[in-house]
Amino acid sequence: MMDGIGDLELRHGARRASAYARAEPIIRCLEATIRRHRADTGRLDSFPDTRALVMACQASGLVAPRGGPVTHGTVLRALRLMGLR
């Protein structure tokens, strides 16, 4: 588990750490959605489809890290930062 943005910067560099910091609200939303999906299905290896992740972030009222709506690409970039894609 990461201790914070500083730890991320030490391990992966300032560029990735700043990208993670910008995307953190989206990442928190994705984590909660994935956790909820796994609890609903009862399978620890299940993963919701990207459309469901986009809709969950949009329903939360989040915006993309650099402004604008949360899209398919926004979610995929956040999943890549999380190491899930």
Side-chain angles (χ1 to χ4, degrees):
M1 187 74 177
M2 300 302 290
D3 295 328
I5 299 299
D7 190 33
L8 188 69
E9 186 172 352
L10 286 174
R11 291 183 183 177
H12 299 288
R15 188 174 186 174
R16 185 176 176 126
S18 64
Y20 187 92
R22 281 191 309 270
E24 193 165 7
I26 301 287
I27 290 171
R28 299 283 178 228
C29 176
L30 296 178
E31 287 174 342
T33 305
I34 292 168
R35 195 174 304 116
R36 195 169 35 251
H37 175 77
R38 289 178 176 172
D40 291 345
T41 61
R43 294 179 50 209
L44 295 178
D45 61 345
S46 67
F47 200 80
D49 63 345
T50 308
R51 185 180 317 118
L53 295 172
V54 170
M55 289 174 30
C57 290
Q58 288 175 346
S60 297
L62 296 173
V63 295
R66 295 187 183 235
V70 175
T71 62
H72 179 82
T74 307
V75 168
L76 290 181
R77 277 190 296 279
L79 288 173
R80 213 172 299 127
L81 282 171
M82 295 167 67
L84 295 176
R85 291 280 186 227

